Amino acid sequence: GLLWSMRALDSSLFITSRGWKSREVVLSAETAGGARQVTLTRHYPWTGTVQEEIRQAGLVANLSYRPVAEPLPVILMLGGWGDGPNPLTAALLADEGYAVLNLGYHDWPGTPQRLVEIPIETVTAAIDWIAQNEKLDGRHVGIYGTSKGAELALLAASHGQRFRAVAAWAPSSAVFSGIDYRDPTPGSSWTLGGRPLPFFKNFYAGGPG
């Protein structure tokens, strides 16, 4: 309840900058038993993190990593509807010793603008690319998705993709219809082998997921 109801007095707390090295956030609460306060420090590991754009046939992605001698385990990251590249999350994960391939599957330059009938094979192409990259350990690949990206992550994993771990943030337990504000009945979000997958219609009639 405390986190759900809290309000920031400074809206810039929700903005990040590549110029920051660290930032402190103070949380305080008053109860009948007295006041409590804790200071949280967020470090921003921009320095030392390499970020590369991958643009080739069938693959639009950004790769983030800290250079080391041995091939790095990989996190394949899928954003949600309308999410662009997420360099901060990628840098934070890279700082923990992973290479992060932030995959663009819709609404990135060079990808479909509508989140409708997106091929699951987009994930397959990313895994194949990882397997061919000498900097990356193709035997240790996990997938991390948020919202619609979590739906895609679970779907890709259920169809036998080569993942050692799956993390889904706010996923759905089923395939839902795609998202296109110009079309109230857009069809399935995903395809496999060129065929749309069966889906439930969204209760929000084409709203974000």
Side-chain angles (χ1 to χ4, degrees):
L2 290 175
L3 293 178
W4 174 83
S5 62
M6 72 177 181
R7 297 290 183 268
L9 297 178
D10 181 1
S11 61
S12 68
L13 291 173
F14 297 100
I15 302 172
T16 58
S17 168
R18 284 186 176 272
W20 297 349
K21 289 184 169 60
S22 65
R23 195 168 201 191
E24 291 185 347
V25 177
V26 178
L27 300 178
S28 60
E30 294 184 7
T31 69
R36 296 290 185 271
Q37 181 172 295
V38 63
T39 300
L40 305 177
T41 301
R42 163 69 83 186
H43 296 283
Y44 296 90
W46 302 117
T47 303
T49 300
V50 177
Q51 297 191 339
E52 301 176 356
E53 288 191 354
I54 312 300
R55 302 292 186 268
Q56 60 186 54
L59 182 63
V60 175
N62 292 344
L63 179 66
S64 301
Y65 62 96
R66 287 181 173 268
V68 294
E70 299 297 324
L72 289 164
V74 185
I75 296 175
L76 180 58
M77 189 166 72
L78 302 169
W81 173 78
D83 289 344
N86 190 337
L88 175 57
T89 298
L92 291 169
L93 291 171
D95 195 48
E96 297 296 326
Y98 297 98
V100 182
L101 189 66
N102 190 183
L103 179 63
Y105 60 94
H106 89 103
D107 206 27
W108 286 31
T111 67
Q113 290 188 332
R114 303 164 67 236
L115 205 166
V116 179
E117 297 188 359
I118 303 297
I120 295 178
E121 289 84 355
T122 305
V123 175
T124 307
I127 297 172
D128 291 342
W129 183 86
I130 290 169
Q132 297 170 5
N133 192 306
E134 295 180 352
K135 296 192 292 280
L136 309 179
D137 184 354
R139 301 168 302 170
H140 295 87
V141 180
I143 188 168
Y144 163 54
T146 60
S147 193
K148 287 296 284 188
E151 183 179 317
L152 177 56
L154 293 177
L155 188 60
S158 70
H159 281 276
Q161 300 290 357
R162 307 180 291 276
F163 299 120
R164 297 291 293 269
V166 179
W169 181 6
S172 66
S173 60
V175 173
F176 281 88
S177 58
I179 300 173
D180 182 357
Y181 283 142
R182 298 166 298 180
D183 184 355
T185 56
S188 181
S189 295
W190 321 107
T191 67
L192 180 62
R195 304 181 67 175
L197 293 176
F199 65 97
F200 287 104
K201 290 184 179 180
N202 293 337
F203 68 89
Y204 43 76

